[in-house]
Amino acid sequence: MAKQILVIDDEELITKSLALALEKNGYEVLVAKHCDEAMAMAEAIDFDLIISDIRMPGVDGIETVRRILDIMIKRGVDRAPRIFITGYADQVAEEGARALKPKAFFFKPFDLIQFLSEVKNALGNNA
């Protein structure tokens, strides 16, 4: 069964690009454009990995991921590893993201090969 990855980003070009690259590498990808959409998905699906932008309108990616992890804990599901991406982040936002202990942190634009390598590492050797 393919590993399920949730990609959260309000930029359609980013979500389409990441989804295409991840799907080509055998992963199942679901995309959310905002917090409410991501949380609704997390209520029903046990994601193997969460990839989130930090800066988004409304609830930012840090708080969105925090809420998803809370949902997973309440459901008794292992907390999924996290990867954060951002075009820009101030020190407070970066520290907030790092407090959630992500497996990786990427600044846009980033190298896709390195990104896919970090995805594989985050999912473990059987990814």
Side-chain angles (χ1 to χ4, degrees):
M1 181 176 196
K3 298 282 186 175
Q4 294 184 312
I5 299 175
L6 173 61
V7 175
I8 311 164
D9 198 312
D10 60 310
E11 294 182 44
E12 190 172 353
L13 179 61
I14 298 293
T15 56
K16 283 184 177 183
S17 298
L18 291 180
L20 181 63
L22 292 165
E23 288 167 352
K24 281 186 176 182
N25 282 272
Y27 302 112
E28 182 178 334
V29 180
L30 285 94
V31 173
K33 294 181 180 174
H34 52 77
C35 181
D36 291 341
E37 191 175 13
M39 288 178 52
M41 290 179 187
E43 290 281 355
I45 300 167
D46 299 335
F47 291 104
D48 297 297
L49 177 66
I50 301 167
I51 299 170
S52 181
D53 187 16
I54 290 179
R55 295 219 181 237
M56 296 186 297
V59 179
D60 69 22
I62 299 165
E63 182 60 26
T64 297
V65 169
R66 187 175 291 121
R67 291 178 186 184
I68 290 170
L69 296 175
D70 287 345
I71 289 170
M72 295 179 83
I73 289 169
K74 288 177 186 169
R75 291 181 53 224
V77 177
D78 286 337
R79 290 170 39 138
R82 283 96 34 218
I83 293 177
F84 283 103
I85 57 176
T86 189
Y88 51 92
D90 58 35
Q91 185 176 357
V92 172
E94 187 173 343
E95 287 173 3
R98 292 196 190 277
L100 292 176
K101 299 179 182 169
K103 293 289 184 179
F105 194 98
F106 286 91
F107 286 93
K108 299 173 192 172
F110 49 82
D111 181 80
L112 188 57
I113 293 170
Q114 182 183 2
F115 175 79
L116 292 170
S117 176
E118 289 296 334
V119 166
K120 186 172 183 176
N121 288 339
L123 290 168
N125 293 333
N126 59 352

